[in-house]
Amino acid sequence: MTASVGLPPSQFPGGTAVSHLAVYDWSTPDGLQGGSAHVHLACTEGYVVLGGAGRLQTLSSAGFAETQLTPMTVLWFSPGVVHRLINDGDLQILVVMQNGGLPEAGDSVLTFPPEYLGEDSTYRAIAAPRPHADLTPEAAAHRRQQLAVQGFLRLREQVERDGQVALDAFYDAAAALVRDRVPGWRKLWADGALAAAERTGEHLEVLSKGHREHLSDGRLSVVGPPAMSFGMCGRLLSYPATPAPPASGS
């Protein structure tokens, strides 16, 4: 008889992660309001718009695009899509992130101007959540936002003028910045999303033999209140990975 284990209580389904995002209403260099443009190199990101109004500006191999965001809009974008959120009025989003833990481990590069992307130490000095003791987390996030939007606007002009070659130069810089982090990402992926997919395979194997032992391992997991941080796109309420103890009774 094949044995199988239930889904670990510390892992959200599929090894994903969820958070609530209140997009910044801070002014940007082009007179709009919103967050810091950036790109993910290994993870797909999904949005469920909960309220308000806004836009998602993207740069990809298809060029520049702008997508309207209204309540109940659902969209996602794969690695390599440079994205920028614009807040047209109290934009609130539920973010579903592939490979929970990888973005927190650095799977993102902000679209700073090229002079900030050539050296890891130069980039990290600006990209860190609080690079200097004299900066509050909010002030550091605001500085990142200003530089990232400046770089995004320049990159957009280059992409509209030169096409894919402009994106390739940015991709090269981004890949170089994260290269040394990949071994750590690989372990997070193996313990998270890969393990979840393999566990589904185990369950299917058990069921194909007419067994159902893994169902007895089913359990409820509940996480506590989220913690607020100043993310790249807005005030981020991130839910803890470790669930609370199971409630007693029914």
Side-chain angles (χ1 to χ4, degrees), residues 10 25 50-51 72 74 106 119 163 173:
S10 62
D25 58 2
L50 302 177
M72 302 307 293
V74 176
E119 295 286 340

Side-chain angles (χ1 to χ4, degrees), residues 12 53 99 120 123 130 138 185 210 227-228 246:
F12 200 73
N99 303 316
D120 183 75
Y123 175 80
R130 191 174 180 179
E138 182 173 1
W185 293 0
M228 198 282 283

Side-chain angles (χ1 to χ4, degrees), residues 86-218:
I86 296 171
N87 186 355
D88 291 325
D90 193 27
L91 183 58
Q92 309 279 328
I93 293 173
L94 177 70
V95 179
V96 182
M97 200 77 212
Q98 185 188 29
N99 303 316
L102 259 68
E104 294 80 0
D107 175 31
S108 62
V109 171
L110 292 147
T111 55
F112 293 157
E115 56 266 30
Y116 295 94
L117 301 177
E119 295 286 340
D120 183 75
S121 58
T122 302
Y123 175 80
R124 301 296 166 198
I126 304 295
R130 191 174 180 179
H132 301 293
D134 58 341
L135 282 179
T136 65
E138 182 173 1
H142 190 263
R143 184 170 70 164
R144 291 195 302 272
Q145 178 236 33
Q146 294 291 301
L147 280 173
V149 173
Q150 288 175 22
F152 178 86
L153 295 174
R154 287 170 58 176
L155 184 59
R156 175 182 170 180
E157 290 180 359
Q158 292 166 349
V159 168
E160 291 178 331
R161 182 184 66 238
D162 303 327
Q164 183 66 38
V165 66
L167 268 181
D168 288 342
F170 173 70
Y171 290 156
D172 287 342
L177 285 172
V178 305
R179 180 179 179 181
D180 291 343
R181 298 185 172 210
V182 173
W185 293 0
R186 192 181 299 277
K187 184 178 188 312
L188 287 168
W189 163 73
D191 292 344
L194 178 60
E198 290 177 336
R199 194 167 296 108
T200 299
E202 294 174 4
H203 295 168
L204 294 176
E205 179 66 16
V206 168
L207 291 168
S208 74
K209 297 177 189 241
H211 301 308
R212 49 79 184 161
E213 286 74 17
H214 66 288
L215 300 180
S216 298
D217 295 329

